Amino acid sequence: MRYAARVLAAVAAPLLALTLAGCGSGDESPRGGGSSPTSSVTAGGGEPKGDLTVFAAASLKKTFTQIGSRFEQDHPGTKVTFNFAGSSDLVAQLQQGAPADVFASADEKNMAKATGDSLTAAAPVDFASNTLEIAVPPGNPAKIATLADLTRPGVKVVVCAPEVPCGSAATKVETAAAIDLKPVSEEQNVTDVLGKVIAGEADAGLVYVTDVKGAGDKVEGIEFPQSSAAVNVYPIATLKGAQNKALADAFVAAVTSASGQGVLADAGFGKP
Amino acid sequence: MSLHATLRVPDRDVDVAVEVPTGRTVALLGPNGAGKSTTLAAVAGLIRPAAGEVRLGERILFCANGSSRFIPPHSRGIGLLAQDARLFPHLSVLDNVAFGPRSAGMPRGRARDRARHWLAQVDATELADRRPGALSGGQAQRVAIARALATEPHLLLLDEPLSALDVETAPSVRQLLRRVLAGRTTLLVTHDVLDAVLLADDVVVLDGGRVVEQGPTSRVLTHPRSSFAARIAGLNLVRGALDGDVVVGPEGMRVAGLVDDSSVEGMDAVAVFSPAAVGVYRVAPQGSPRTEVRATVTDLEPHGHQVRVHTAYLSADITPAALADLALTPGDEVVLTVKASEVAIYAG
Amino acid sequence: MTRSTRPGHAAYPRLGLPSWVFVPAALGALFVVLPLVAMLTQVEWSQFGALVTSESSRAALALSLKTSLASTVLCIVFGVPMAVVLARSRFPGQSVARSLVLLPLVLPPVVGGIALLYTFGRRGLLGHELDVLGLQVAFSTAAVVMAQTFVALPFLVVSLEGALRTGGQRFEEVAATLGARPTTVFLRVTLPLVLPGLASGAVLAFARALGEFGATITFAGSLQGVTRTLPLEIYLQRETDPQAAVALSLVLVAVATIVITLTRRSRTAL
């Protein structure tokens, strides 16, 4: 048995290494699993600089990339590397020991998982919010004007499954509006919902304001008052495993700064 | 019903005309690649010739001379027996034989009765319930014969039906064929002289996709005009121009013999003689026989109680004692002699 | 079976294999088996029953079996003639046709889903015609079956065409000279002889349909009992309940194993 366990471990170790490599940020980030720290801290009170790894929710890709390049300009000698993925995937990776300095979640639930596992170094800060909007194909073929229109017979509505954040938001909105949606599909994520609206398969979908903005003219967005029932708040926090806490804190500050907030507002994010 | 077939299959360089008179068996002889199987396949309708005509009795099965007609194999009324029995492995012996009648629309019961009748004809009644996998080669071929006959074909095609059988089994199946082929119109592909002698009335010899010789079996085997017919008849054949009573063959080889009346000076002729008539010497013998050929031994093989000595053009049969005396091995230079009285010369 | 009747069997173990091949072979086997073992260790067996018998799990399993079966039938109905045409006839552009038919084998299933969407979707190539006929494919169980058939069909065609080519035409030629019409030859000779090949092709197709994910989620959507098959359910459960995802994965592995084992057994009995 012992022997078998050793063999298992011997084979499993390289496999695990492969898996971890796959979980990483996916570019040539020079992080070597923490054993050989490559980031450096300027001694004394100067500007912090070095390498920074940020795990951020997929919906933050555009805005954070922009904030990141500004941050690099403001902090010469700094290189920011992002890992964009679903918030729950990111938390899972952090729990498995993936090296990162900052975590920005698309919801409070996943940030709570991270703080619960003592992965964060400080209390998370809310930096943005997002609300739902009705996305319809260009020209709005089903003539949707209000949330109640989605319950009209013959209107094909696609939402996220209740298991994922955008789906639970949709459920909240549904309850607040006292309507009963009969979706033709409950998708895995916002991209799949948006894809079906763009393809014209669905007459309408419930997605975030930022998704509608991000899709450009491929969909039209229709606001509805009940969206306030499900405001999705984005928290950000420096992580305990951060190689360069000062730099990580500086990045969190950059996100919450006026400049960072401006970038987020342009993309459709609301105030936290 | 008689078969008239003229076929051209350029893909395989075959251009032949074959006739099988009603009720007779014609053997198609020839070396490998001569076009025998192609001819058979074209008659059966398994391949489509580029040109020619296939007629069975009054019925045109195929023609491509201006107009065009192609009757598919299943409507030709032609049975085929291949080298291997090709019994359907998923059907019992009885259902294999009943397959043809069933395909013709006969109800199962009657088709099976018919199958039992034909199994009895080939002495295979007791095999009826077996699976083909449980049969020996000879048994399988008997069943295949019954299966081919059960469709009562107008023409039977046999493609080397005995070549896959071992020497103990072949004779009895050959006897069976001899019995069932009597009075049937049959085209038989073979390279075995015994099949030709015992089963065929006439032979057609193919070589390089062309008919090189045809006629009654006995005449072709005793007076071959093609080297292949001579070889399977176990005879030496030298082809060349006639000069007096001498055939001048390849590389100036001169073979003297008895010239038959039809031959004329200067025309193409063949000299034919048995290997037993050939003498083998290390050096040219005294008394200078009329025919004396220098040659190199290419091969030695046992032949009955004798040893056959092969050279480039001629073969000789000598006794094992003579072989030991001469101490021949392939590559040795020898002198071959033939008595003129043992050589038949006729128009080639 | 005695030694004398099957000498090859008795002699087989003595045939020398180079001993080093066992090392990569064992490593390869381990690479396949180890993740399954790892998954087994993750299952919370006390909750296993509850997890796999929840309403959504049962609905997903039932839908998966139903649609996979339907798509396997479709694969047989269309795949057998396709394989026969590819293996037995000659026509211009045949090799191109074969490559096209086999394309879904190498295509990412998501691409297949997108292609189906642009063909049978509302705004697709045939969308208008289907609409006129009152047929709306997207978001229906039929769409799931179509997606599965699209990805599974080549598996059946490939294995059946291989079986047809290996078997050759010897028996079919004899059958024709015995007076059997092409249809009779096909039904009574060709099909029975390739039955093992057809069976393994159908099993492959079924297994592929059972595991289909990408084309389904792209083309059919995801709704419990209608389009959410077991793989989609597993992927969704992963979001909130990784335990349930692992348990359901195990069910999928078990179903696939049972199907493959049953067929192998029936084939060896054949």
Side-chain angles (χ1 to χ4, degrees):
Chain A
M1 285 319 286
R2 297 222 125 226
Y3 176 71
R6 270 212 329 263
V7 170
L8 264 170
V11 175
L15 288 180
L16 205 63
L18 276 174
T19 321
L20 280 182
C23 288
S25 49
D27 65 8
E28 310 77 41
S29 159
R31 284 189 163 271
S35 56
S36 56
T38 49
S39 52
S40 58
V41 189
T42 317
E47 281 287 300
K49 63 178 184 180
D51 288 352
L52 191 70
T53 301
V54 177
F55 276 28
S59 48
L60 296 169
K61 188 164 184 182
K62 261 184 205 162
T63 49
F64 266 41
T65 308
Q66 210 176 330
I67 293 173
S69 57
R70 265 191 214 174
F71 186 75
E72 284 172 357
Q73 281 167 23
D74 296 346
H75 298 74
T78 298
K79 170 102 183 71
V80 184
T81 306
F82 289 107
N83 176 18
F84 293 112
S87 301
S88 56
D89 285 339
L90 291 173
V91 173
Q93 288 170 25
L94 292 173
Q95 286 168 334
Q96 299 287 332
D101 302 297
V102 176
F103 173 43
S105 169
D107 61 353
E108 289 166 304
K109 200 176 80 188
N110 279 301
M111 183 56 89
K113 278 195 228 163
T115 48
D117 269 13
S118 310
L119 292 167
T120 49
V125 184
D126 297 340
F127 66 93
S129 69
N130 213 348
T131 49
L132 291 181
E133 206 172 52
I134 300 170
V136 296
N140 195 359
K143 305 278 170 276
I144 305 291
T146 66
L147 194 60
D149 286 345
L150 300 186
T151 61
R152 279 204 325 249
V155 174
K156 293 192 169 180
V157 183
V158 178
V159 298
C160 286
E163 285 85 347
V164 296
C166 59
S168 68
T171 310
K172 277 186 211 155
V173 164
E174 215 181 321
T175 315
I179 57 165
D180 186 16
L181 285 180
K182 293 264 187 295
V184 291
S185 185
E186 295 175 352
E187 301 288 342
Q188 185 77 27
N189 53 46
V190 174
T191 315
D192 283 329
V193 175
L194 216 49
K196 261 123 199 160
V197 175
I198 291 171
E201 284 310 308
D203 298 314
L206 281 179
V207 296
Y208 290 111
V209 176
T210 53
D211 300 315
V212 174
K213 263 219 155 101
D217 55 7
K218 290 198 286 274
V219 293
E220 291 173 14
I222 297 160
E223 289 175 30
F224 57 94
Q226 297 91 335
S227 66
S228 60
V231 178
N232 202 35
V233 177
Y234 284 63
I236 187 168
T238 303
L239 293 167
K240 214 169 239 170
Q243 296 285 328
N244 189 340
K245 281 219 167 59
L247 193 64
D249 288 339
F251 183 81
V252 173
V255 171
T256 49
S257 72
S259 147
Q261 292 293 301
V263 171
L264 289 161
D266 287 346
F269 283 102
K271 293 272 169 219
Chain B
M1 247 181 256
S2 60
L3 171 77
H4 303 266
T6 53
L7 307 162
R8 212 155 61 71
V9 186
D11 292 357
R12 306 188 196 174
D13 190 26
V14 168
D15 190 349
V16 297
V18 176
E19 296 218 359
V20 185
T22 308
R24 288 177 73 88
T25 297
V26 171
L28 215 48
L29 293 169
N32 286 336
K36 298 172 306 215
S37 294
T38 302
T39 304
L40 220 57
V43 172
L46 299 176
I47 62 169
R48 189 180 184 135
E53 185 186 76
V54 176
R55 193 152 47 83
L56 189 57
E58 296 304 307
R59 190 163 170 236
I60 292 171
L61 302 180
F62 165 75
C63 79
N65 305 319
S67 66
S68 175
R69 184 184 175 92
F70 183 86
I71 306 282
H74 63 85
S75 309
R76 292 196 169 195
I78 294 178
L80 174 71
L81 189 65
Q83 264 181 43
D84 47 338
R86 297 192 193 180
L87 299 180
F88 304 127
H90 57 294
L91 299 179
S92 71
V93 162
L94 187 68
D95 285 337
N96 260 281
V97 181
F99 186 91
R102 288 278 286 142
S103 297
M106 196 181 277
R108 185 188 298 260
R110 272 184 58 209
R112 285 190 167 165
D113 287 344
R114 167 92 71 96
R116 281 194 195 89
H117 165 77
W118 282 105
L119 281 175
Q121 294 289 304
V122 301
D123 308 321
T125 306
E126 73 283 1
L127 304 177
D129 297 326
R130 294 224 206 145
R131 288 268 157 176
L135 301 182
S136 71
Q139 289 172 330
Q141 199 61 313
R142 277 172 189 274
V143 174
I145 292 167
R147 183 176 65 176
L149 294 176
T151 61
E152 295 177 351
H154 304 306
L155 171 71
L156 199 55
L157 303 175
L158 308 181
D159 190 357
E160 311 211 4
L162 303 170
S163 66
L165 301 180
D166 53 46
V167 285
E168 287 85 28
T169 319
S172 68
V173 177
R174 189 179 288 116
Q175 281 305 323
L176 168 67
L177 278 175
R178 197 173 147 76
R179 198 173 77 221
V180 299
L181 294 185
R184 283 179 191 280
T185 314
T186 307
L187 185 58
L188 162 74
V189 163
T190 185
H191 57 248
D192 186 340
V193 66
L194 216 50
D195 291 347
V197 170
L198 290 176
L199 302 176
D201 304 300
D202 304 292
V203 297
V204 172
V205 180
L206 297 188
D207 200 355
R210 307 289 184 276
V211 174
V212 291
E213 181 169 13
Q214 55 187 318
T217 310
S218 55
R219 201 203 73 206
V220 170
L221 292 181
T222 52
H223 287 77
R225 286 178 164 80
S226 64
S227 50
F228 180 80
R231 192 159 71 239
I232 72 155
L235 298 172
N236 285 306
L237 180 144
V238 175
R239 174 181 298 278
L242 192 60
D243 176 12
D245 63 349
V246 172
V247 171
V248 183
E251 297 176 18
M253 188 196 306
R254 296 176 68 86
V255 180
L258 304 173
V259 182
D260 82 342
D261 303 339
S262 62
S263 306
V264 183
E265 181 78 19
M267 74 184 291
D268 270 357
V270 288
V272 175
F273 49 97
S274 160
V278 180
V280 181
Y281 300 90
R282 280 284 189 174
V283 290
Q286 305 291 321
S288 65
R290 297 273 317 279
T291 300
E292 199 178 287
V293 177
R294 292 188 180 278
T296 304
V297 176
T298 55
D299 200 10
L300 297 164
E301 60 165 356
H303 191 257
H305 295 297
Q306 301 216 298
V307 176
R308 180 156 290 182
V309 180
H310 291 282
T311 68
Y313 294 104
L314 303 180
S315 302
D317 284 352
I318 60 175
T319 62
L323 177 70
D325 219 26
L326 289 164
L328 289 182
T329 52
D332 288 351
E333 297 285 330
V334 292
V335 178
L336 305 175
T337 65
V338 193
K339 275 189 206 153
S341 59
E342 309 233 22
V343 178
I345 293 179
Y346 45 89
Chain C
M1 283 285 155
T2 60
R3 266 179 91 97
S4 59
T5 53
R6 287 184 70 185
H9 188 74
Y12 183 72
R14 276 190 276 159
L15 252 176
L17 273 180
S19 49
W20 58 263
V21 298
F22 288 99
V23 176
L27 278 177
L30 212 56
F31 182 66
V32 175
V33 172
L34 202 62
L36 295 178
V37 175
M39 206 166 71
L40 280 176
T41 64
Q42 287 296 310
V43 177
E44 270 182 33
W45 294 104
S46 56
Q47 295 173 40
F48 183 79
L51 287 175
V52 300
T53 53
S54 73
E55 197 201 333
S56 62
S57 302
R58 277 185 290 123
L61 179 62
L63 182 70
S64 264
L65 292 176
K66 200 170 72 177
T67 53
S68 300
L69 208 62
S71 53
T72 306
V73 170
L74 283 181
C75 283
I76 290 172
V77 167
F78 295 110
V80 172
M82 280 162 78
V84 169
V85 167
L86 285 177
R88 288 285 192 265
S89 73
R90 271 198 261 169
F91 55 90
Q94 189 166 17
S95 60
V96 177
R98 179 180 293 109
S99 310
L100 287 177
V101 167
L102 302 188
L103 208 55
L105 273 183
V106 292
L107 223 54
V110 180
V111 177
I114 292 172
L116 286 171
L117 202 56
Y118 286 127
T119 312
F120 299 102
R122 240 194 214 176
R123 295 186 181 173
L125 208 58
L126 303 176
H128 181 70
E129 284 76 4
L130 291 173
D131 223 23
V132 170
L133 295 171
L135 294 171
Q136 294 214 344
V137 180
F139 306 119
S140 68
T141 305
V144 177
V145 174
M146 286 168 74
Q148 290 174 344
T149 307
F150 184 81
V151 297
L153 191 56
F155 283 83
L156 188 126
V157 174
V158 162
S159 63
L160 190 58
E161 196 200 343
L164 283 165
R165 286 186 181 279
T166 319
Q169 261 177 295
R170 308 155 57 235
F171 293 109
E172 290 158 20
E173 287 180 352
V174 169
T177 62
L178 291 170
R181 298 173 167 283
T183 304
T184 312
V185 175
F186 181 70
L187 294 177
R188 289 200 62 203
V189 178
T190 311
L191 273 189
L193 287 179
V194 296
L195 213 53
L198 177 58
S200 66
V203 169
L204 275 177
F206 182 84
R208 180 66 190 86
L210 201 61
E212 163 43 37
F213 175 77
T216 309
I217 206 163
T218 318
F219 177 52
S222 171
L223 191 65
Q224 184 179 323
V226 182
T227 53
R228 189 175 296 153
T229 55
L230 205 46
L232 269 64
E233 175 74 16
I234 290 170
Y235 195 61
L236 185 60
Q237 288 296 340
R238 224 178 104 259
E239 285 292 328
T240 49
D241 192 353
Q243 276 305 317
V246 172
L248 285 175
S249 303
L250 208 61
V251 171
L252 198 58
V253 170
V255 171
T257 311
I258 289 168
V259 169
I260 290 169
T261 316
L262 279 184
T263 338
R264 292 209 59 161
R265 199 170 284 168
S266 68
R267 273 189 70 185
T268 41
L270 221 140

